[in-house]
Amino acid sequence: MRFCSLGRILLCLLGLLCLAGCDTRMVPEDEDNAFVVNGRIGDSEFHPSADVQTLRFEVYSENKWDCVQEGFERRWISYEIAKVEKKDTWRISIILAENTGNSPRTAVFLFTSGTMRRRVTVTQSVEDPIFRTHTIGAYGVPGGDVVFDRDRFQYGRLQYGADRLSFRLYEPSSARVCTLSGLSSHMEPGMQFTVLYRVQEGGYTRVLESCEVQVIRVRDNLVWLKKDDNTYFVVKK
């Protein structure tokens, strides 16, 4: 009799274990996966440059969702929502104006679906001070800045070749020639290469320096090449 009771107890326990194993309710993590913003089930951040640009990411939600904006003015940031072909998926496009101010600026997008929250923070950096220089020249180089300005140097001459920018300045006693060579004919932001900066005066080379530079902006007919925060070149395309 005692063995019979023990057997019944074991059968009941096995039945409970089977029922627990067959429970199809989603765990909290599965519930989170039903609402994914920018590829995450948590918060995310963007740190864009100061340039005009558009940030894009997707929202996946199996239920109704909403977006609330915090801490920004529409004069510099806006957004668009578009449904895509994938099931329960939308594309978010955040449009940024150029940040010409002296400090970074931040905006927050709060996405909600039921009790779930996804925060996307956008912090746009300030403009590189180099971009405030629009006059062709070499800055922060040995011997001091050399500004290639026709109006300033009436007796100067600008020469553009396939891979060089040269400026010739005639002085009373000697000719001074500044040359920047090694430029690519098709420069795009992000490109890196080596340029050679040379200053010749009175028939002698006074300055000869090789610089690893990066193209950091191409706008209109100007290109900004940066070695470091103190040394850079502004050239004409």
Side-chain angles (χ1 to χ4, degrees):
M1 189 74 175
R2 183 176 302 172
F3 289 107
C4 183
S5 299
L6 182 59
R8 290 177 179 176
I9 293 172
L10 290 174
L11 287 173
C12 290
L13 290 174
L14 287 172
L16 290 173
L17 289 173
C18 288
L19 288 174
C22 295
D23 190 353
T24 58
R25 291 177 301 171
M26 290 191 298
V27 296
E29 183 178 354
D30 291 331
E31 293 176 359
D32 285 345
N33 287 334
F35 187 44
V36 180
V37 177
N38 194 23
R40 295 173 174 81
I41 58 174
D43 298 340
S44 59
E45 297 181 357
F46 286 99
H47 295 276
S49 66
D51 292 332
V52 175
Q53 59 197 288
T54 300
L55 310 174
R56 293 184 175 87
F57 59 92
E58 292 184 346
V59 172
Y60 171 81
S61 179
E62 297 178 0
N63 301 299
K64 185 178 179 180
W65 61 277
D66 195 12
C67 176
V68 177
Q69 311 83 47
E70 300 177 353
F72 69 83
E73 301 178 18
R74 289 196 173 275
R75 63 181 178 82
W76 71 271
I77 187 170
S78 61
Y79 74 101
E80 298 174 353
I81 301 174
K83 188 73 175 67
V84 298
E85 293 182 358
K86 290 187 290 184
K87 183 181 178 181
D88 300 327
T89 304
W90 290 260
R91 178 172 291 114
I92 308 298
S93 299
I94 298 179
I95 302 97
L96 304 177
E98 183 179 8
N99 186 5
T100 57
N102 296 318
S103 60
R105 50 194 184 186
T106 299
V108 176
F109 295 83
L110 181 61
F111 295 86
T112 60
S113 177
T115 59
M116 292 179 287
R117 301 286 187 274
R118 307 285 184 261
R119 187 182 299 271
V120 176
T121 303
V122 178
T123 302
Q124 188 181 29
S125 61
V126 296
E127 183 182 53
D128 193 317
I130 288 175
F131 296 143
R132 297 170 188 170
T133 302
H134 292 83
T135 303
I136 299 171
Y139 300 87
V141 291
D145 297 349
V146 178
V147 179
F148 305 143
D149 188 336
R150 290 177 186 268
D151 295 333
R152 178 176 298 180
F153 299 109
Q154 297 180 15
Y155 303 101
R157 184 175 62 193
L158 285 169
Q159 295 178 340
Y160 296 95
D163 68 342
R164 72 178 185 272
L165 163 69
S166 65
F167 173 76
R168 183 181 298 273
L169 174 63
Y170 293 99
E171 296 179 339
S173 58
S174 64
R176 185 185 185 201
V177 182
C178 301
T179 306
L180 183 66
S181 59
L183 303 180
S184 172
S185 58
H186 300 286
M187 291 182 285
E188 300 292 338
M191 288 180 60
Q192 294 181 320
F193 46 84
T194 302
V195 295
L196 185 65
Y197 176 68
R198 182 196 304 268
V199 177
Q200 294 174 296
E201 190 172 4
Y204 296 94
T205 296
R206 304 297 185 184
V207 176
L208 181 62
E209 183 177 76
S210 177
C211 302
E212 293 288 337
V213 298
Q214 181 177 24
V215 180
I216 57 174
R217 175 177 282 180
V218 178
R219 178 169 293 181
D220 298 328
N221 64 337
L222 295 181
V223 181
W224 284 259
L225 308 172
K226 182 176 181 179
K227 176 186 177 184
D228 51 48
D229 289 340
N230 300 313
T231 305
Y232 60 98
F233 305 92
V234 181
V235 300
K236 185 177 180 180
K237 289 176 60 178

